[in-house]
């Protein structure tokens, strides 16, 4: 605890809320950090996956600590000081969240994160207006929790239009206008895409929706705190926010729900009627305080962070593109949040590259969950061809990413892409014969099995190295690489 506090104090001292940036621990230094009492911690990879989650900002932790220990009252207790002090912290946090997006604090409802906020916005609005309106519009590149909420509503009898996107990842506004129907209750379109960083024209969408009197919800989990968002300027009626994407704690988020004109929704949870009846359950004060602090820090530092992240992103893209041929950047380069860079490295399996880059924490754009063998539906929606979709990597640059970390990642990336490409082009039958990964899904459990077969193409007589193992693709790739093989192609087994 003492060590933790000392570290927080050091970082805080170096960068006050409004002060100059701290000299952050260099990448190398961070990877060699001591665990305590002279014990060397295991080396941890550099962190370049900020779209998955961001580290907690020490200033946020600072604001939360008293509410984890000292001020433990239930913020909904009305009869004593313990409740009042927690309530006042919760209300201050609500104000901080509202201020970041130009809202009234009464329009902010605390939730457990953007997944819950998206569920509440989509299911809640659709169900409330269902007697008159049964149609919803979204896009094919939304986060899974939005798409799954829509699928759920389809099963309840709603109609959903999943708008396609153009090759650059942007929606066509004319298509949106054409898709609106007299009984459309809601349009749900994300602000910044979590895989390719594409930024949709939110103000234009808001304008269209408001002129047609349709509610507009945006999943802004990857946008709030990173780019300016104003619910009134952008004519947004509902907005989802996540704490852990903005250097706040996990397990907390918020939903903005417009009061004028009023948006009504059916709550998902039954209970004590907290949060204006829209989200029953005790608000976790420390988490709400953390979310509020994260919003305040982001509001103060957004401009600075954006500029810095843009410079680092440019550095990464330029270096990779000049050193490695046949690299494609996925998503529109202009309408784009710079901290989310999705690159396809032709002739290289994204998963093999991830395995090779094991000292950098990155995410593959090719599989949205580790057990999935399908290429990402986002890349498919923008028309990326199957091979390129399987060769994509997402580089996430955030507030705490250093130039040194970017350079290290670039250098390793160049080295391994070149090596993997050389391996790929080795003639078959030599030291590294190509392999086929044949996959099948169990009809019963839905699990994916893989078999690694020597010598492509698919050949029933080929030597089987690993048969029907219940493993995610990465592990199969790893096993193949470990044996000095290169996975060349992926085929479907006959159904099992
Ligand atoms: C665009 C987007 N929406 C929603 C979510 C879900 O957020 P949470 O983890 O807060 O539920 C994420 C997180 O990956 C996201 O990137």
């Amino acid at each position: 605890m003492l060590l933790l506090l000392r570290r927080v104090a050091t970082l805080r001292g170096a960068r006050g809320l409004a002060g100059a940036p701290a000299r952050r621990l260099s990448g190398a230094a961070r990877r060699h950090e001591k665990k305590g009492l002279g014990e060397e911690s295991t080396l941890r990879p550099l962190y370049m996956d900020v779209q998955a989650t961001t580290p907690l900002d020490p200033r946020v932790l600072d604001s939360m600590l008293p509410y984890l220990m000292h001020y433990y009252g239930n913020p909904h207790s009305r009869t004593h000081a313990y409740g009042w002090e927690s309530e006042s912290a919760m209300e201050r946090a609500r104000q901080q969240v509202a201020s970041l997006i130009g809202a009234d604090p009464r329009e902010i409802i605390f939730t457990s994160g953007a997944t819950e906020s998206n569920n509440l916005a989509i299911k809640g609005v659709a169900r409330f207006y269902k007697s008159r309106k049964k149609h919803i519009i979204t896009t094919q590149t939304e986060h899974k929790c939005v798409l799954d909420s829509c699928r759920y509503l389809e099963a309840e009898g709603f109609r959903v239009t999943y708008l396609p996107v153009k090759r650059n990842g942007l929606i066509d506004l004319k298509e949106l206008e054409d898709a609106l129907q007299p009984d459309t209750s809601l349009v749900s379109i994300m602000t910044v895409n979590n895989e390719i960083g594409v930024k949709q024209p939110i103000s234009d969408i808001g304008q269209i929706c408001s002129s047609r009197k349709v509610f507009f919800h945006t999943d802004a989990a990857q946008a709030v705190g990173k780019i300016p968002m104003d619910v009134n300027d952008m004519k947004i009626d509902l907005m989802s926010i996540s704490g852990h994407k903005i250097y706040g704690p996990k397990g907390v988020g918020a939903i903005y729900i417009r009061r004028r004109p009023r948006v009504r929704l059916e709550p998902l949870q039954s209970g004590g009627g907290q949060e204006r009846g829209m989200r029953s359950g005790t608000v976790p004060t420390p988490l709400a305080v953390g979310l509020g602090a994260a919003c305040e820090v982001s509001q103060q530092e957004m401009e600075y962070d954006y500029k810095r992240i843009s410079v680092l992103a440019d550095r990464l893209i330029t270096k990779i593109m000049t050193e490695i041929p046949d690299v494609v950047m996925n998503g529109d380069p202009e309408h784009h949040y710079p901290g989310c860079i999705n690159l396809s490295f032709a002739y290289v399996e994204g998963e093999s590259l991830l395995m090779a880059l094991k000292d950098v924490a990155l995410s593959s754009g090719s599989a949205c969950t580790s057990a999935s063998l399908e290429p990402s539906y986002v890349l498919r929606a923008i028309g990326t061809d199957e091979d390129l979709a399987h060769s994509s990597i997402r580089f996430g640059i955030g507030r705490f990413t250093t130039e040194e970390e970017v350079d290290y990642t670039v250098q390793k990336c160049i080295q391994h892409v070149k090596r993997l490409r050389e391996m790929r082009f080795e003639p078959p039958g030599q030291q590294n014969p190509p392999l086929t990964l044949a996959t099948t899904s169990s009809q019963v459990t839905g699990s994916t099995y893989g078999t690694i077969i020597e010598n492509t193409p698919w050949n029933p007589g080929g030597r089987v190295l690993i048969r029907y193992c219940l493993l995610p693709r990465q592990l199969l790739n790893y096993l193949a690489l470990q044996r000095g093989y290169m996975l060349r192609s992926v085929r479907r087994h006959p159904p099992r």
Side-chain angles (χ1 to χ4, degrees):
M1 187 65 175
L2 208 111
L3 195 87
L4 174 73
L5 290 175
R6 197 164 56 223
R7 191 163 164 217
V8 170
T10 315
L11 282 167
R12 204 167 167 257
R15 189 183 196 186
L17 269 183
R23 160 87 183 87
R24 281 144 193 159
L25 289 174
S26 76
R30 213 180 303 165
R31 285 188 303 127
H32 289 272
E33 235 177 312
K34 300 259 180 186
K35 220 174 179 180
L37 296 177
E39 182 192 346
E40 190 82 32
S41 69
T42 47
L43 294 184
R44 297 179 77 207
L46 300 184
Y47 192 70
M48 296 283 278
D49 197 18
V50 295
Q51 277 71 41
T53 194
T54 48
L56 195 69
D57 189 303
R59 291 162 288 184
V60 172
L61 176 65
D62 228 18
S63 70
M64 291 170 64
L65 285 173
Y67 296 91
L68 286 162
M69 286 299 294
H70 193 66
Y71 301 112
Y72 50 79
N74 183 324
H76 312 291
S77 295
R78 289 282 152 83
T79 50
H80 49 71
Y82 289 83
W84 305 331
E85 63 206 13
S86 290
E87 186 193 24
S88 112
M90 175 181 77
E91 291 312 324
R92 179 171 139 71
R94 203 185 301 282
Q95 186 127 32
Q96 289 165 316
V97 177
S99 161
L100 178 61
I101 59 168
D104 183 304
R106 290 170 298 177
E107 298 174 312
I108 302 297
I109 300 295
F110 289 114
T111 64
S112 61
T115 298
E116 185 186 335
S117 301
N118 286 338
N119 271 264
L120 183 54
I122 295 165
K123 294 177 183 165
V125 168
R127 287 174 184 161
F128 190 89
Y129 295 97
K130 69 171 181 261
S131 60
R132 286 179 291 128
K133 302 191 170 193
K134 298 280 274 188
H135 180 238
I136 294 150
I137 299 176
T138 187
T139 79
Q140 293 175 0
T141 52
E142 297 299 307
H143 190 270
K144 236 178 162 315
C145 60
V146 167
L147 295 175
D148 277 5
S149 297
C150 290
R151 295 260 178 250
Y152 211 87
L153 288 175
E154 280 186 281
E156 290 179 14
F158 290 89
R159 301 184 326 282
V160 181
T161 301
Y162 298 91
L163 287 177
V165 294
K166 298 181 277 188
R167 281 200 79 90
N168 59 4
L170 292 169
I171 63 153
D172 182 333
L173 292 171
K174 174 79 174 51
E175 274 187 55
L176 169 63
E177 284 187 277
D178 293 347
L180 289 165
Q181 297 174 20
D183 69 340
T184 307
S185 58
L186 183 75
V187 168
S188 177
I189 297 180
M190 73 202 312
T191 308
V192 169
N193 184 277
N194 48 303
E195 278 191 48
I196 54 177
V198 162
K199 204 166 65 183
Q200 297 292 350
I202 293 302
S203 298
D204 297 336
I205 298 169
Q207 182 58 46
I208 292 171
C209 292
S210 113
S211 69
R212 300 283 290 267
K213 302 218 171 346
V214 172
F215 292 131
F216 173 37
H217 163 247
T218 187
D219 171 1
Q222 297 287 350
V224 160
K226 293 170 188 157
I227 55 172
M229 296 292 291
D230 186 296
V231 287
N232 293 316
D233 291 352
M234 295 172 153
K235 299 197 185 320
I236 294 166
D237 297 306
L238 301 114
M239 181 195 279
S240 302
I241 298 170
S242 173
H244 72 107
K245 310 287 183 186
I246 52 170
Y247 311 91
K250 292 170 186 56
V252 68
I255 179 170
Y256 157 79
I257 306 174
R258 180 174 287 285
R259 279 167 68 86
R260 288 208 183 83
R262 188 164 173 207
V263 181
R264 313 281 303 271
L265 49 78
E266 200 178 285
L268 297 177
Q269 289 174 197
S270 312
Q274 290 93 339
E275 296 296 273
R276 297 174 192 279
M278 285 187 265
R279 205 279 188 173
S280 284
T282 304
V283 171
T285 321
L287 298 181
V289 165
L291 176 64
C295 287
E296 185 174 314
V297 174
S298 294
Q299 190 166 5
Q300 287 168 358
E301 305 205 348
M302 189 185 305
E303 208 180 316
Y304 173 85
D305 281 350
Y306 189 90
K307 281 192 193 139
R308 205 178 147 274
I309 288 168
S310 302
V311 170
L312 291 179
D314 266 359
R315 189 178 177 95
L316 183 136
I317 296 169
T318 312
K319 284 193 173 195
I320 286 185
M321 294 280 198
T322 39
E323 288 287 330
I324 316 177
D326 301 318
V327 180
V328 177
M329 182 166 162
N330 297 305
D332 192 281
E334 294 294 315
H335 301 92
H336 186 257
Y337 171 65
C340 178
I341 304 157
N342 190 307
L343 301 178
S344 286
F345 298 89
Y347 319 120
V348 170
E349 265 279 328
E351 305 293 343
S352 311
L353 185 53
L354 280 187
M355 283 299 159
L357 292 168
K358 57 185 176 305
D359 47 359
V360 185
L362 287 161
S363 163
S364 150
S366 71
C368 85
T369 59
S370 59
S372 162
L373 299 174
E374 296 295 318
S376 130
Y377 62 86
V378 173
L379 295 182
R380 214 164 28 196
I382 62 170
T384 308
D385 91 44
E386 176 109 4
D387 281 350
L388 271 185
H390 274 301
S391 74
S392 79
I393 302 268
R394 181 181 69 187
F395 299 86
I397 298 179
R399 181 180 294 160
F400 299 112
T401 311
T402 64
E403 195 175 285
E404 195 187 356
E405 285 172 326
V406 167
D407 289 349
Y408 182 85
T409 304
V410 167
Q411 177 224 322
K412 286 284 168 188
C413 199
I414 295 168
Q415 174 193 335
H416 289 294
V417 169
K418 287 186 174 161
R419 185 180 60 81
L420 289 168
R421 282 184 180 170
E422 276 161 20
M423 278 169 68
R424 180 188 161 91
F425 291 121
E426 255 177 25
Q430 303 219 336
Q431 232 196 339
N432 297 305
L435 302 170
T436 296
L437 169 65
T439 68
T440 188
S441 299
S442 159
Q443 311 267 315
V444 184
T445 62
S447 319
T448 301
Y449 296 86
T451 298
I452 297 186
I453 301 151
E454 208 173 57
N455 294 333
T456 48
W458 166 260
N459 167 14
R463 191 160 74 95
V464 172
L465 298 178
I466 300 169
R467 179 182 292 280
Y468 282 122
C469 42
L470 203 163
L471 292 173
R473 184 190 182 91
Q474 283 99 324
L475 206 39
L476 285 168
N477 270 316
Y478 173 72
L479 291 171
L481 272 179
Q482 218 188 21
R483 289 161 169 78
Y485 292 98
M486 163 65 193
L487 267 187
R488 177 171 278 186
S489 57
V490 178
R491 305 289 289 254
R492 296 289 299 172
H493 264 307
R496 225 173 163 223

